[in-house]
Amino acid sequence: MAAAVAGPEIERLIQLLAKLPGLGPRSARRAALHLIKKREALMAPLASALQVAIERIQVCKVCGNIDTQNPCTVCTDPRRDPSIIVVVADVADLWALERAHASSGRYHVLGATLSPLDGVGPDDLTIDALVARAHDPQVSEIVLALNATVDGQTTAHYITDLLMEAGVKVTRLAHGVPVGGELDYLDEGTLSAAMRQRTLF
Amino acid sequence: MEWTDEGIVLGVRRHGESSAIVELLTRGHGRHLGLVRGGAGSKLRPLLQPGNSVSAVWRARLDEHLGTYVLEGTRMRAAMLLASSHAVYGVTHLASLARLLPERDPQPEIYERLERTLDDFDDVGEAAVHLIRFELTMLTELGFGLDLASCAATGTTADLIYVSPKSGGAVSRQAGEPWRDKLLRLPPFLREGEAARNDWSDQDLQDGFALTGRFLLRNVLEPRGQGHSDARDGFINAVVRLRARTAAE
């Protein structure tokens, strides 16, 4: 067995960093060394930021977004269009749509998509809360911004079935040729979906 | 160890940062899992969707190892299935049914039936009949096949319109008449000699789902502590809704 080269505190720091996405044991060791070398400039502010995040970050009781205020910044923004709710599977999807300035509506985070393989059923998602929000007279459109995967679209169809009685327009994102995509390299399914959903030029 | 086979993707589970464990129903090696390096990445995600057909090369040092797959798409159905509700529910339900099969046990008939079912999802009625036949084949392969060739009471092969909910045997009109409220109905598309007809009604489809649903639940799902999937209910509702819409047009 290799002898430990650092004290247990440093080893623990490396072990915890190695649990972060994108970091293995080697890169965690490099990150830990970097933090230790920049103790005042980086490590202390990072520790402080983490502490503040632990204390203040909450899940929005309206949409499921994460923020330091509850309801979240998106839900309380008066410039947002209250008639549109964009449904996403995860907070990362919400952030992606916000980065793209793709919608001025409000959001609803489901938490995941239906997946029999992973044992995720309707009760594990915030579908009941979405149906309740859809019955608000202010809401006129629900945009299902879910992944173009079998699980994502099963979830989309399941939600559409539940929203039938809410009297709202239910839309979904278009499927087709991505920007930079070359037709020659696209699979036949995507190509035929793109052809079916062609628009006037 | 190395083999090459055709397969249909049943499911994918992320493994680590970039890899995925892919579950295939293969033609010659049954339900078989394997690791796909880079399977969690955006390049392979479109390929690793349930319902897609692939050409698979499996390699492992020993036969009992998980092994690694190298996959190439041969028929990318998933993108076409995503647009219609019955197809999405159907493929989810088919994958969860196929997952009941034992691992690494070749099931060529199930493979053929699954492929045919996935290829015929365009027509809602056809899809429903294929799915019912798939459930029936699953029951047979799992050791709970129904005897629909002759009457369980009289042995006759004519006018079989009922099925006994206890034995799973067909019952003729005459023999079943006194117990017709207790018997399940055998839809025409499951009767020998009438299988080629395609003028089945909504009631026939409901009868088919009730028939296979009962025996799947009693013999296969309940002993495993499971029930019918939400996808099966979603598929049946979608079929009823789409056929009603088509009839109204």
Side-chain angles (χ1 to χ4, degrees):
Chain A
M1 202 173 113
V5 292
E9 296 83 2
I10 296 172
E11 284 299 328
R12 179 157 168 72
L13 175 65
I14 293 167
Q15 278 172 12
L16 289 173
L17 285 171
K19 289 182 192 292
L20 294 175
L23 291 187
R26 251 172 205 275
S27 33
R29 201 166 284 277
R30 284 181 60 211
L33 268 176
H34 187 74
L35 284 171
I36 292 162
K37 281 180 190 166
K38 306 239 173 192
R39 189 189 294 213
E40 295 307 318
L42 191 59
M43 199 176 196
L46 178 66
S48 154
L50 285 171
Q51 189 58 44
V52 171
I54 288 167
E55 286 164 7
R56 296 189 53 192
I57 286 177
Q58 303 171 61
V59 175
C60 175
K61 62 186 176 190
V62 178
C63 71
N65 187 15
I66 51 171
D67 204 340
T68 51
Q69 64 180 66
N70 200 348
C72 69
T73 316
V74 176
C75 287
T76 51
D77 186 347
R79 290 166 300 175
R80 295 268 171 182
D81 184 352
S83 68
I84 298 173
I85 296 177
V86 183
V87 180
V88 292
D90 201 71
V91 174
D93 301 333
L94 187 156
W95 288 356
L97 286 168
E98 280 298 290
R99 274 201 309 274
H101 303 289
S103 172
S104 62
R106 292 187 174 152
Y107 290 93
H108 188 89
V109 182
L110 293 173
T113 51
L114 297 174
S115 173
L117 184 61
D118 299 318
V120 181
D123 295 341
D124 300 311
L125 311 183
T126 59
I127 294 176
D128 290 346
L130 172 65
V131 173
R133 289 182 74 188
H135 279 85
D136 185 333
Q138 270 194 311
V139 176
S140 64
E141 183 178 359
I142 304 283
V143 183
L144 299 171
L146 297 169
N147 294 336
T149 59
V150 170
D151 286 348
Q153 293 308 301
T154 305
T155 312
H157 287 294
Y158 183 82
I159 290 171
T160 309
D161 291 348
L162 293 179
L163 292 177
M164 264 179 191
E165 290 169 8
V168 290
K169 184 165 81 173
V170 182
T171 56
R172 69 165 170 86
L173 300 186
H175 298 160
V177 184
V179 174
E182 294 179 30
L183 297 192
D184 194 20
Y185 288 93
L186 286 180
D187 66 88
E188 62 262 42
T190 305
L191 269 176
S192 68
M195 190 56 92
R196 271 201 309 272
Q197 293 168 35
R198 66 189 183 275
T199 54
L200 206 57
F201 192 64
Chain B
M1 303 294 302
E2 179 175 330
W3 50 253
T4 303
D5 201 350
E6 297 167 48
I8 296 169
V9 179
L10 299 179
V12 181
R13 218 171 294 166
R14 205 183 167 108
H15 184 77
E17 293 263 328
S18 59
S19 299
I21 293 173
V22 177
E23 192 170 12
L24 299 180
L25 183 68
T26 60
R27 189 185 288 276
H29 297 83
R31 186 169 72 88
H32 202 293
L33 280 76
L35 184 85
V36 174
R37 297 195 197 285
S42 58
K43 200 175 160 191
L44 283 173
R45 286 280 285 280
L47 171 67
L48 302 179
Q49 293 299 312
N52 280 340
S53 284
V54 294
S55 167
V57 179
W58 181 81
R59 289 189 190 94
R61 195 167 61 79
L62 295 173
D63 193 32
E64 59 265 33
H65 285 178
L66 173 67
T68 56
Y69 271 135
V70 176
L71 304 176
E72 193 181 330
T74 54
R75 192 146 162 64
M76 306 282 274
R77 299 184 190 88
M80 282 179 267
L81 300 175
L82 297 184
S84 49
S85 55
H86 77 281
V88 172
Y89 284 130
V91 75
T92 306
H93 174 54
L94 286 166
S96 62
L97 274 182
R99 245 175 252 130
L100 297 170
L101 293 167
E103 267 189 68
R104 302 188 178 198
D105 184 16
Q107 310 276 354
E109 198 176 334
I110 291 271
Y111 181 85
E112 293 286 342
R113 180 127 344 248
L114 180 60
E115 200 167 43
R116 214 175 313 150
T117 306
L118 290 168
D119 283 338
D120 263 349
F121 256 122
D122 286 347
D123 184 280
V124 181
E126 288 272 359
V129 170
H130 277 300
L131 203 133
I132 291 165
R133 287 192 178 129
F134 182 83
E135 290 187 336
L136 212 54
T137 313
M138 279 292 298
L139 279 167
T140 305
E141 295 298 323
L142 294 170
F144 303 102
L146 309 186
D147 179 9
L148 305 178
S150 61
C151 176
T154 62
T156 180
T157 56
D159 210 14
L160 302 172
I161 62 163
Y162 300 115
V163 175
S164 161
K166 283 188 180 170
S167 69
V171 180
S172 68
R173 186 189 302 272
Q174 197 182 0
E177 198 53 29
W179 298 280
R180 67 177 180 184
D181 294 339
K182 292 183 178 173
L183 295 171
L184 297 163
R185 285 171 46 133
L186 180 62
F189 56 84
L190 295 182
R191 294 177 206 155
E192 273 186 32
E194 296 182 61
R197 280 174 49 191
N198 60 358
D199 56 343
W200 46 80
S201 65
D202 285 348
Q203 186 59 50
D204 293 336
L205 296 178
Q206 295 282 8
D207 291 342
F209 281 119
L211 178 69
T212 51
R214 180 184 175 86
F215 290 102
L216 269 176
L217 196 63
R218 191 185 74 182
N219 298 337
V220 180
L221 298 171
E222 280 182 350
R224 291 171 159 88
Q226 299 174 17
H228 283 306
S229 65
D230 292 324
R232 186 180 196 268
D233 297 337
F235 178 81
I236 297 170
N237 291 337
V239 167
V240 170
R241 202 171 49 243
L242 290 169
R243 279 174 65 89
R245 195 185 297 166
T246 311
E249 287 166 1

